[in-house]
């Protein structure tokens, strides 16, 4: 029986996870197939229930379902509980376990960008979705003393702050309205800027204007497609140290692979596949559109297609 792992999200066609994980399964001779399931919120519970079948090793969960999935699994690991978001599901017999490997993935990115310098204590986070929750959780664990979250819809950022009220009780975690003057004032005081919004996948698109970026920041953009976003380009011009989302993608994926298979992830193989996808574009793979899909199967575009630039 071929085992199955699925990516559940909406949309999913753009994701690099399928190529990366399939290359890892194949390299270790694991009989498993990675499938892309495009599911709207209304079909999420049914999709999660299907994972209880014996042929499933587990799943990835992506935009926009990471928070909704929390109530649909049987058990949450510490990171999933702390963040209130799940990006990986594994099976324990018939039970489904929700994990958050984005937290460890982001920690790896933060360590990489800061390098040998002293770990800063003040961060600005743009976005308040599932990825932002993983970022904030990692920053709190890392000992940050002030984290300011900006989001298009302020109430969502306020909800994030409320979620972390206990674990952040010793420090200053706050939501602020997305006004350029407020952002500029906060950026002048911070050392770390993280883009955890979906803004930056289209050419020229960026969450904040270039002139707001001061020099000497550490800037991490979670977006990995394109590998160099407008924000990263602007930050380099401003004299900042920058990192795109690919390292986080690789690290969260390696942790996920280990949870599904119990084997060490072939990280070099996964990195090589990401390099290939970046250079050659995504190979066309069928996308299962589920019960809500009107057109049935569709295909992932090459890297230049609009679909390939949508959020991961
Ligand atoms: P999500 O839960 O759907 O949240 C999306 C976030 O983007 C929200 O804060 C949303 O603001 C904001 N946003 C979307 N469109 C916007 C717009 N037009 N203007 C301003 N803000 C906008 O998604 P997620 O799972 O957190 O993912 C967020 C991003 O992180 C995605 O681009 C994803 O690819 C990336 N990511 C990367 C990795 C990696 O391994 N590198 C891992 C996880 C996620 P509102 O709340 O106001 O709608």
């Amino acid at each position: 029986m071929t085992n199955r792992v699925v990516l559940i999200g909406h949309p999913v066609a753009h994701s690099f996870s399928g190529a990366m994980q399939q290359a890892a399964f194949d390299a270790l001779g694991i009989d498993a197939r990675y499938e892309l399931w495009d599911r709207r919120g209304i079909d999420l519970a049914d999709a999660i229930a299907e994972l209880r079948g014996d042929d499933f090793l587990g799943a990835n969960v992506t935009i926009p379902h990471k928070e909704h999935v929390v109530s649909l699994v049987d058990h949450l690991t510490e990171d999933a509980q702390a963040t209130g978001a799940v990006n990986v599901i594994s099976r324990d017999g018939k039970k489904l376990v929700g994990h958050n490997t984005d937290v460890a993935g982001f920690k790896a990115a933060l360590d990489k960008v800061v390098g040998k310098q002293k770990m800063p204590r003040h961060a600005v986070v743009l976005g308040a979705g599932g990825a932002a929750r993983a970022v904030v959780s990692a920053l709190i664990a890392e000992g940050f003393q002030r984290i300011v979250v900006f989001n298009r819809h302020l109430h969502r950022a306020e909800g994030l702050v409320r979620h972390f009220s206990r674990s952040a009780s010793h420090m200053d975690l706050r939501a602020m309205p997305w006004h350029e003057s407020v952002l500029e004032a906060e950026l002048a005081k911070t050392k770390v800027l993280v883009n955890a919004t979906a803004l930056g996948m289209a050419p020229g698109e960026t969450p904040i204007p270039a002139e707001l970026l001061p020099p000497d920041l550490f800037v991490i953009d979670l977006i990995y497609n394109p590998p160099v976003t407008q924000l990263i380009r602007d930050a380099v011009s401003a004299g900042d140290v920058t990192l795109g989302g690919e390292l986080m993608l690789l690290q969260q994926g390696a942790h996920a692979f280990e949870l599904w298979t119990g084997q060490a992830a072939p990280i070099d193989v996964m990195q090589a596949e990401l390099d290939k996808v970046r250079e050659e574009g995504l190979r066309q793979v069928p996308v299962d559109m589920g019960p809500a899909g009107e057109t049935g199967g569709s295909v992932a575009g090459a890297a230049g297609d609009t679909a390939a630039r949508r959020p991961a």
Side-chain angles (χ1 to χ4, degrees):
M1 175 180 71
T2 299
N3 289 299
R4 301 164 76 188
V5 177
V6 296
L7 170 67
I8 304 173
H10 180 72
V12 291
H14 62 280
S15 176
F16 286 9
S17 289
M20 177 175 74
Q21 298 292 1
Q22 191 64 56
F25 293 142
D26 295 347
L28 296 196
I30 295 169
D31 185 13
R33 190 174 66 235
Y34 195 99
E35 301 169 20
L36 304 178
W37 285 6
D38 191 316
R39 295 289 185 276
R40 292 172 193 274
I42 194 169
D43 298 317
L44 186 61
D46 287 344
I48 300 299
E50 221 178 312
L51 300 178
R52 296 178 194 277
D54 285 338
D55 45 342
F56 287 93
L57 295 178
N60 272 133
V61 181
T62 190
I63 191 171
H65 300 318
K66 286 180 185 177
E67 290 153 79
H68 297 123
V69 154
V70 164
S71 61
L72 299 174
V73 296
D74 304 305
H75 177 72
L76 294 173
T77 59
E78 207 176 307
D79 276 338
Q81 193 131 35
T83 52
V86 162
N87 76 317
V88 175
I89 297 172
S90 68
R91 289 189 42 201
D92 179 10
K94 287 279 176 215
K95 293 214 181 316
L96 300 179
V97 183
H99 309 257
N100 195 311
T101 67
D102 282 340
V103 178
F106 176 74
K107 271 188 189 158
L110 181 67
D111 287 344
K112 169 89 176 173
V113 79
V114 171
K116 290 196 164 56
Q117 296 194 51
K118 192 164 170 278
M119 184 58 75
R121 293 285 171 248
H122 183 170
V124 166
V125 177
L126 308 177
R133 282 172 173 247
V135 168
V136 168
S137 187
L139 292 171
I140 294 171
E142 200 62 49
F144 274 64
Q145 289 304 309
R146 182 175 164 87
I147 304 169
V148 184
V149 181
F150 290 89
N151 197 49
R152 174 178 56 176
H153 295 105
L154 179 61
H155 66 87
R156 197 171 179 192
E158 289 169 339
L160 181 154
V161 169
R162 269 196 304 281
H163 176 83
F164 286 100
S165 59
R166 195 174 295 173
S167 55
S169 59
H170 62 290
M171 45 87 66
D172 184 7
L173 171 65
R174 61 177 67 194
M176 283 196 181
W178 192 305
H179 295 310
E180 285 192 6
S181 57
V182 186
L183 251 170
E184 191 169 20
E186 206 51 50
L187 285 174
K189 290 188 266 178
T190 200
K191 191 70 185 143
V192 173
L193 169 65
V194 183
N195 178 32
T197 73
L199 283 177
M201 268 157 287
E205 185 181 66
T206 183
I208 48 176
E211 55 274 18
L212 258 54
L213 291 168
D216 301 325
L217 287 184
F218 295 112
V219 178
I220 304 176
D221 197 336
L222 265 44
I223 289 172
Y224 61 81
N225 183 18
V228 182
T229 58
Q230 187 63 43
L231 174 64
I232 294 288
R233 232 176 261 124
D234 293 341
V236 169
S237 301
D240 299 327
V241 180
T242 63
L243 188 71
E246 192 172 294
L247 179 66
M248 178 172 168
L249 177 73
L250 178 69
Q251 291 295 330
Q252 63 76 27
H255 287 290
F257 181 91
E258 290 171 12
L259 291 166
W260 297 323
T261 66
Q263 299 193 43
I267 202 113
D268 293 348
V269 171
M270 296 165 90
Q271 178 65 69
E273 188 64 25
L274 287 178
D275 294 342
K276 197 168 131 200
V277 168
R278 199 182 332 105
E279 275 151 35
E280 298 172 11
L282 271 175
R283 203 166 39 88
Q284 293 200 322
V285 283
V287 175
D288 179 336
M289 298 299 287
E294 285 170 14
T295 52
S298 118
V299 290
D305 287 351
T306 315
R309 291 197 297 267
R310 288 194 197 133

